[in-house]
Amino acid sequence: MTAAVDNLPGRGAAIEPRGPKPKRLTPARIGIYAFLIIASIFFLLPLWVMVTTSLKTLPEIRLGEIFSLPQQPTFDAWFKAWDTACTGRDCNGLKPGFWNSVKISALSVPISILIAMLNGYALSFWKYKGADLFFALLLFGAFVPYQVVMYPIIIGLSRVGLFGTLPGIVIIHTIFGMSILTLLYRNFFASLPAELFKAARVDGAGFWQIFFRIMLPMSVPITIVAIILQVTGIWNDFLFGLVFAGRENMPMTVQLNNIVQTTTGTREYNVNMAAIILTATVSLVIYFLSGKWFVRGIAAGAVKG
Amino acid sequence: MKKFLPVVATMAAAMLATTAVRAADVEVIHWWTSGGEQAAVTVFANEFDALGGDKWIDTAIALGETARAAVMQRALGGDPPEAAQFNPGRQYEELIAAGLLLDLTPLAEAEGWSDIVRPDTIESSCHIDGKWWCVPVNIHSWQWGWASIPAFEKVGLAVPKNMDEFIAAAPKLKEAGIIPFAVGGDGGGWQISGMAGVLQLNMLGVELRDKIFRDLDTAAAAGPEVTKVFETVRSLQQYSDDGSVGRNWNDTTNLVITDAAAFQIMGDWARGEFSVAGEQPGVDYECVAGPADKPYLNTGGDIFVFFKQNDPDVERAQLKLASMMINPRVQALFNNAKGSLPVRDDVDMSLADACMKKGLALLADPATVVADVGQYRTEDFNIQMNDLWTDFWFNPETTVEQAQARFVDLIANAD
Amino acid sequence: MADIAAARAAGAKPGVGGRGGGLRRRRLQLIPSIISTLPMAATAIGVFIICIIFTIIWSFTNSKLFPTFNFVGLDQYERLWATPKWQVSVSNVWVFGVVSMAGNLVFGYLLAVFMDQRIRQEDLFRTIFLYPVALSGVVTGLVWQWMMDPNLGIQEAVRNMGWTNFQFAPLVQPETALYGMVVAGIWGGVGVTMAILLAGLRGVDTEVWKAAKVDGIPAWRTYLFIALPMMKGAVITAVILQAVGVIRVFDLVIAMTGGGPGIATQMPAVYVVQAINTRAVGQGMAAATMMLLPVALIIAVQFVFRWRAKLRAERLATR
């Protein structure tokens, strides 16, 4: 019975659906599809609203028909959101922030993942005294809302001169992603067959060799999950960017907030929606490209708890 | 010919000066993001850039509270901007105490700010203990009502001159499908708090108001005059609309501009919106001073502080900006765009429209000029007042007694 | 497979420590491990111990903008609990937390169950259910705020379709605003719950399903009373992830309601940040410390359970 409960995830068999493929369309099957389709409508509705609103003109929006298709779809709002929407004196839209967000994400994602991967690897196979304590503290930290430590961190970062710099914001993202990512990786590595590691040790491989030759290649599914999680979190981050990134590195989300919060006369809902979509695009694209891996990775890392 | 040599000498000196000095970037954090505000800040930015060499780097952050928070965090973190907008009062007292601000006293004395800047309430917000820590750039007053003339004409009533007249007209407006009282509930309730403050000043008079907010007299805070203020605010609630939740101030003004709403109590920065929309005072809209028969003009406004950057080139640029912001020509352009009053008398306000002229007339009369109540207390206190008023406005379960009790509590614990 | 499970139960782990080799050799081999986990150690100690300690210390001071050590005893806490904004935010986080977690688990499990039925286009459905997770709280809040707008959102659209008395503007009334947020929160987060629970379902041995079918137990009963208890790991993970998200909820509040109407949707995390922003740092630190207490409690409870489970396992092994 324990064997059944401890079914090792990470194996492909655990992910595929179970049982024979149903052939007939019984009422029960119709009911299932109906439920799923209704649920899908609930999920897709906001996306529909976002896209159609961004393609409408303002007078059409004021008619209050949020579900209707645009009568004369136009990308004007998109151009404005990207290029000319005003915040204060500068009318440059979201563009300036885009590259800053790229910079921040491109640095923070790989660094935070690498560190968490090493953590998980070390915790699973090379435990030293005190490692578990650090890990427990990290887990505790996962629950700690960052607002609790935001103020001491500002003071701390400013003392080492990293406040308002790119390295500073990268460090922030690494710190706050470490708990969940390390948990993911540790669970993943712990679920791998023990022979793998033992065999490598018998062959005389050391810490770094096993890591690079065996563990790294094996951890692709979970790494994809980690990438998705981190890109989503870091790309969409607002508060950290506003506080810690510094003037030169203001991410896109800050611009988005400005555009949405400011109105020059009338609130331009279509521009706001276009701006929202543009801001969300990167993490959405990454998600669409890798959805299946996401589920596999969650199964591998999260089910063991 | 006599003038020739000095002119040449000055020009030569200027050319030498500009070539010898490094141009600096001056980052300015502000929260001027609406249409009228944007026009005004563009004046500052363009004028500064036109002076040559140094550049205005614009960091606009929507909503005053958010912008001030960003400035404070960056000051805390050791990376403050070169210049930052604040409201006159105590918002920046910790910055002064921590020695983070550039001392503008030499510049102020050279240009004679103490003699030029008026009224006293504005001058003393920057001229503290003999030193100048900021440059005031305008005067704004909350004590204004903005009325849509077409809306009132629709129900056959005259534009109200005080709150009693408005409350009498409100039911008719509501019947006609017009939103009688436009107010916005965003930003933690600062608009509601400001509106309540206007009624407070009108109904309590300046002495009683100062007794409560400046001298922290809890007995006065618990008194029946204050109760009446709460009751009046509560009675206005029924005349506002559902959309007021989370609506920002210029969207609310827009309701009056488009005649969907009849009346808004808002500071004179609203005038910028009317002007950008092409509306004429006396034709499309009316600005009601007070709104009361004997209106006050409370002197809020905006000031700019400059953070020490430990770089003489930057400091030079900062002082240049400070001097520019207060010179008469720029003051005229800026205040006309923004709808505020200049901080000096020798400014050409001939282009001012009817509403600003009303304001200027009030400013000239010392009996009507009072300090802005926000100047007496810290931002922490003011935010708690915002919480109080926004809860009172939107939560029908908070009674007048509860709200007043909380108010007394705040006054008792204020520091 | 069976002996691995047995070895696990006995507490042995694959790895370096334990058997073989000299003590010194073992220690040497652990050095790369120690070095590579320095960031973790630094974070664990620097951030999660030292910073938290400072937060707690400063909550007993009257720090305004810059931290001081003017101790004022419990003043900040007295002020905190006398402040309506804080009281409301505490009750809000509990209500929001319980309702959205329950909603997420139920809806998530339902989705997982339905997805488990060998349906066609499973990938498509899964993509649809999960994509909101790739959106930030700000985006989620803004879009739902737009849809719940009384004049331009769903209410108006449905009214234009003919149902003139349709009401759907929860964000306008203080009583319902929080539930409006719950809807947006569930929309944004249930995909992850579904994915975790689905993976858990698929991790249940096929023998169990076959046995239930042979015994004639209807499918829904199997799902509810047999499979679910076997997925404890997955359920716990889902609950933990959600609990973490609830305590931190900030972006959603700011984007969707700004804490309003009035103070009806205030949350502790928002209170802390607002206090810091308005230079009442001591107050913010007090609120932050209060936010830590339930967290510490959960960890302590978990710790106790684990410890007891370990004891039990050791007792079993020595039998």
Side-chain angles (χ1 to χ4, degrees):
Chain A
M1 208 46 188
T2 25
V5 172
D6 267 328
N7 200 355
L8 295 170
R11 293 214 190 147
I15 311 303
E16 296 314 314
R18 186 195 52 258
K21 208 175 171 96
K23 292 196 192 71
R24 278 171 299 112
L25 206 60
T26 67
R29 299 295 297 174
I30 295 180
I32 292 175
Y33 281 105
F35 177 80
L36 287 173
I37 291 178
I38 293 180
S40 302
I41 294 180
F42 172 63
F43 282 98
L44 287 174
L45 204 58
L47 188 61
W48 170 264
V49 167
M50 269 195 275
V51 173
T52 54
T53 304
S54 72
L55 296 172
K56 290 182 186 169
T57 58
L58 269 179
E60 201 186 332
I61 293 178
R62 287 204 209 100
L63 293 176
E65 299 271 357
I66 204 175
F67 298 129
S68 63
L69 277 168
Q71 278 164 0
Q72 284 179 324
T74 159
F75 276 97
D76 280 349
W78 288 67
F79 290 128
K80 183 154 186 193
W82 178 250
D83 215 11
T84 63
C86 292
T87 58
R89 176 233 199 170
D90 294 327
C91 289
N92 293 319
L94 289 173
K95 215 175 30 192
F98 179 77
W99 294 110
N100 290 339
S101 293
V102 168
K103 255 194 302 186
I104 295 176
S105 302
L107 282 174
S108 310
V109 171
I111 291 180
S112 54
I113 289 182
L114 184 64
I115 290 184
M117 209 190 301
L118 281 172
N119 287 345
Y121 171 61
L123 283 170
S124 296
F125 302 120
W126 301 84
K127 249 205 266 212
Y128 54 91
K129 255 213 212 127
D132 264 342
L133 179 62
F134 290 139
F135 183 54
L137 276 174
L138 220 57
L139 280 185
F140 164 66
F143 286 87
V144 171
Y146 49 77
Q147 292 86 359
V148 169
V149 287
M150 189 169 102
Y151 184 74
I153 288 184
I154 295 178
I155 307 260
L157 269 187
S158 76
R159 292 276 160 82
V160 295
L162 284 178
F163 183 81
T165 63
L166 193 56
I169 181 89
V170 172
I171 290 178
I172 294 285
H173 283 307
T174 305
I175 289 178
F176 287 106
M178 211 187 278
S179 310
I180 301 275
L181 289 180
T182 306
L183 177 66
L184 271 179
Y185 275 109
R186 197 207 69 151
N187 282 354
F188 177 76
F189 285 130
S191 73
L192 292 179
E195 300 94 47
L196 213 56
F197 182 77
K198 285 193 203 154
R201 292 283 301 147
V202 159
D203 282 345
F207 181 90
W208 294 107
Q209 283 166 311
I210 299 186
F211 179 70
F212 281 110
R213 294 229 195 106
I214 302 180
M215 296 302 165
L216 197 51
M218 282 217 72
S219 63
V220 171
I222 193 78
T223 299
I224 293 186
V225 177
I227 291 179
I228 297 175
L229 280 179
Q230 284 300 82
V231 169
T232 308
I234 295 177
W235 183 267
N236 291 317
D237 158 69
F238 171 69
L239 195 58
F240 287 155
L242 183 67
V243 175
F244 293 106
R247 185 219 315 173
E248 278 102 34
N249 310 312
M250 278 291 165
M252 210 170 167
T253 41
V254 175
Q255 247 101 33
L256 173 67
N257 183 61
N258 272 353
I259 290 176
V260 171
Q261 300 280 11
T262 77
T263 48
T264 56
T266 52
R267 183 162 267 196
E268 295 186 309
Y269 297 100
N270 46 0
V271 176
N272 291 353
M273 287 295 139
I276 287 177
I277 298 179
L278 284 170
T279 312
T281 296
V282 165
S283 53
L284 264 183
V285 162
I286 292 204
Y287 163 74
F288 281 127
L289 288 179
S290 55
K292 202 164 194 165
W293 295 100
F294 188 61
V295 182
R296 289 232 176 113
I298 286 187
V303 174
K304 292 279 283 182
Chain B
M1 195 57 188
K2 243 196 233 179
K3 290 212 179 134
F4 187 68
L5 273 174
V7 169
V8 169
T10 320
M11 280 176 61
M15 272 170 29
L16 279 176
T18 42
T19 48
V21 159
R22 195 175 55 90
D25 282 346
V26 178
E27 184 195 9
V28 185
I29 293 187
H30 63 86
W31 59 85
W32 287 327
T33 49
S34 81
E37 293 171 333
Q38 196 211 335
V41 78
T42 310
V43 166
F44 271 162
N46 288 347
E47 288 290 321
F48 187 64
D49 285 351
L51 288 177
D54 310 306
K55 257 181 69 181
W56 171 293
I57 308 284
D58 195 88
T59 301
I61 300 178
L63 205 59
E65 198 184 315
T66 312
R68 291 191 291 274
V71 173
M72 288 309 193
Q73 273 154 10
R74 286 185 46 182
L76 192 62
D79 174 39
E82 278 77 24
Q85 174 196 1
F86 281 98
N87 301 119
R90 292 176 60 181
Q91 288 173 356
Y92 37 93
E93 63 182 7
E94 285 128 336
L95 297 175
I96 299 176
L100 292 175
L101 299 183
L102 203 55
D103 186 359
L104 301 173
T105 317
L107 177 65
E109 281 170 2
E111 298 189 351
W113 289 3
S114 310
D115 302 316
I116 299 176
V117 175
R118 55 91 183 103
D120 282 340
T121 47
I122 290 291
E123 196 236 353
S124 60
S125 67
C126 283
H127 191 185
I128 305 171
D129 290 334
K131 291 194 174 218
W132 282 86
W133 293 108
C134 54
V135 59
V137 298
N138 63 13
I139 302 174
H140 270 307
S141 172
W142 252 105
Q143 308 286 122
W144 289 95
W146 304 88
S148 154
I149 295 182
F152 281 97
E153 278 177 355
K154 190 165 170 199
V155 294
L157 291 170
V159 167
K161 294 210 197 44
N162 55 49
M163 283 313 288
D164 290 327
E165 283 181 24
F166 169 72
I167 294 181
K172 266 208 172 156
L173 291 161
K174 196 167 177 181
E175 261 172 45
I178 301 172
I179 304 170
F181 191 61
V183 72
D186 79 326
W190 70 275
Q191 295 182 49
I192 304 187
S193 190
M195 177 264 298
V198 168
L199 295 176
Q200 212 169 52
L201 178 54
N202 285 338
M203 294 171 75
L204 298 179
V206 66
E207 282 95 25
L208 185 54
R209 183 203 74 164
D210 282 354
K211 216 161 156 225
I212 298 177
F213 283 94
R214 186 191 55 203
D215 308 327
L216 299 178
D217 183 336
T218 47
E225 298 91 347
V226 176
T227 315
K228 199 142 179 290
V229 175
F230 278 103
E231 284 167 359
T232 311
V233 171
R234 192 34 53 94
S235 74
L236 284 170
Q237 217 263 339
Q238 58 181 308
Y239 298 122
S240 68
D241 65 312
D242 267 355
S244 62
V245 173
R247 184 169 53 211
N248 66 21
W249 75 266
N250 46 322
D251 282 339
T252 312
T253 307
N254 199 48
L255 289 175
V256 181
I257 291 179
T258 56
D259 309 318
F263 198 66
Q264 181 190 21
I265 291 184
M266 182 50 65
D268 51 22
W269 50 86
R271 183 208 139 273
E273 302 302 301
F274 286 101
S275 126
V276 163
E279 301 224 324
Q280 304 286 344
V283 175
D284 307 299
Y285 73 96
E286 194 58 76
C287 49
V288 183
D293 292 323
K294 291 209 169 176
Y296 286 103
L297 189 85
N298 78 322
T299 54
D302 301 292
I303 59 101
F304 277 88
V305 300
F306 298 88
F307 284 89
K308 287 190 195 157
Q309 301 285 338
N310 295 322
D311 181 337
D313 281 317
V314 175
E315 190 175 312
R316 178 202 44 78
Q318 287 171 305
L319 293 173
K320 185 168 125 192
L321 180 58
S323 171
M324 179 209 88
M325 282 175 160
I326 206 173
N327 87 42
R329 198 183 69 88
V330 176
Q331 277 280 303
L333 291 168
F334 174 74
N335 284 294
N336 267 314
K338 196 156 193 316
S340 47
L341 302 173
V343 295
R344 49 196 302 173
D345 277 321
D346 53 351
V347 167
D348 177 11
M349 293 306 280
S350 54
L351 292 173
D353 67 12
C355 285
M356 289 175 65
K357 294 216 161 91
K358 275 191 205 174
L360 284 167
L362 286 170
L363 191 57
D365 177 5
T368 59
V369 176
V370 302
D372 182 87
V373 72
Q375 284 180 269
Y376 294 136
R377 308 254 61 89
T378 62
E379 175 135 22
D380 180 22
F381 175 87
N382 290 332
I383 296 293
Q384 291 190 79
M385 285 300 296
N386 290 357
D387 294 337
L388 194 165
W389 283 115
T390 189
D391 178 51
F392 183 63
W393 183 263
F394 284 110
N395 187 357
E397 293 182 19
T398 305
T399 65
V400 168
E401 290 78 30
Q402 284 171 333
Q404 188 166 8
R406 172 101 189 117
F407 178 54
V408 173
D409 210 27
L410 283 178
I411 294 286
N413 290 324
D415 61 348
Chain C
M1 195 152 113
D3 46 351
I4 292 180
R8 282 266 168 81
K13 290 185 190 75
V16 176
R19 288 169 272 115
L23 192 60
R24 224 177 110 248
R25 212 172 118 246
R26 247 183 290 142
R27 290 256 172 85
L28 273 174
Q29 284 165 347
L30 286 176
I31 288 183
S33 173
I34 297 178
I35 295 181
S36 71
T37 56
L38 272 178
M40 169 169 76
T43 302
I45 298 183
V47 175
F48 297 126
I49 293 190
I50 295 184
C51 283
I52 290 185
I53 289 182
F54 270 111
T55 295
I56 299 179
I57 290 181
W58 284 326
S59 74
F60 294 110
T61 69
N62 66 352
S63 305
K64 291 271 176 61
L65 170 65
F66 298 100
T68 73
F69 289 104
N70 296 341
F71 287 101
V72 292
L74 290 174
D75 274 3
Q76 298 286 10
Y77 290 92
E78 277 173 22
R79 172 181 151 180
L80 188 67
W81 287 104
T83 308
K85 195 159 82 164
W86 173 253
Q87 296 158 358
V88 167
S89 60
V90 169
S91 95
N92 279 350
V93 79
W94 277 106
V95 171
F96 181 78
V98 168
V99 175
S100 28
M101 275 177 31
N104 258 327
L105 284 172
V106 168
F107 192 28
Y109 194 54
L110 265 178
L111 283 173
V113 165
F114 278 88
M115 289 283 282
D116 194 33
Q117 302 307 313
R118 295 232 69 161
I119 51 170
R120 286 196 236 159
Q121 305 296 4
E122 186 184 309
D123 280 349
L124 177 62
F125 279 117
R126 195 182 44 233
T127 306
I128 293 177
F129 296 149
L130 265 176
Y131 90 88
V133 173
L135 301 174
S136 70
V138 171
V139 168
T140 306
L142 285 174
V143 172
W144 277 97
Q145 184 208 57
W146 168 234
M147 298 204 319
M148 292 181 177
D149 184 288
N151 298 319
L152 296 166
I154 294 182
Q155 180 173 289
E156 186 65 19
V158 173
R159 283 194 183 176
N160 284 341
M161 285 200 247
W163 289 284
T164 46
N165 286 328
F166 181 71
Q167 296 256 38
F168 186 66
L171 300 181
V172 167
Q173 306 296 339
E175 306 86 43
T176 53
L178 199 60
Y179 299 103
M181 267 176 58
V182 168
V183 170
I186 290 183
W187 180 84
V190 74
V192 174
T193 307
M194 176 204 76
I196 294 178
L197 293 178
L198 184 57
L201 267 182
R202 300 239 164 105
V204 170
D205 201 341
T206 38
E207 295 303 323
V208 175
W209 298 103
K210 286 198 193 142
K213 210 161 175 195
V214 160
D215 280 348
I217 305 177
W220 67 270
R221 262 187 196 265
T222 317
Y223 274 113
L224 209 49
F225 297 116
I226 303 183
L228 197 52
M230 299 180 85
M231 289 166 35
K232 258 199 293 207
V235 174
I236 290 180
T237 305
V239 169
I240 290 180
L241 278 182
Q242 281 183 56
V244 168
V246 162
I247 294 181
R248 289 187 192 186
V249 70
F250 179 83
D251 285 354
L252 188 67
V253 177
I254 298 289
M256 208 166 169
T257 61
I263 51 176
T265 54
Q266 275 289 340
M267 290 287 179
V270 177
Y271 187 91
V272 171
V273 176
Q274 280 178 349
I276 295 177
N277 285 344
T278 55
R279 278 91 75 203
V281 162
Q283 178 71 186
M285 296 294 102
T289 309
M290 297 265 63
M291 282 173 82
L292 275 178
L293 285 185
V295 169
L297 201 64
I298 296 178
I299 298 284
V301 162
Q302 231 205 6
F303 199 66
V304 164
F305 271 126
R306 283 246 176 97
W307 186 59
R308 279 175 52 190
K310 204 166 142 216
L311 277 181
R312 212 177 296 142
E314 278 171 13
R315 248 184 291 132
L316 275 173
T318 55
R319 249 191 220 150

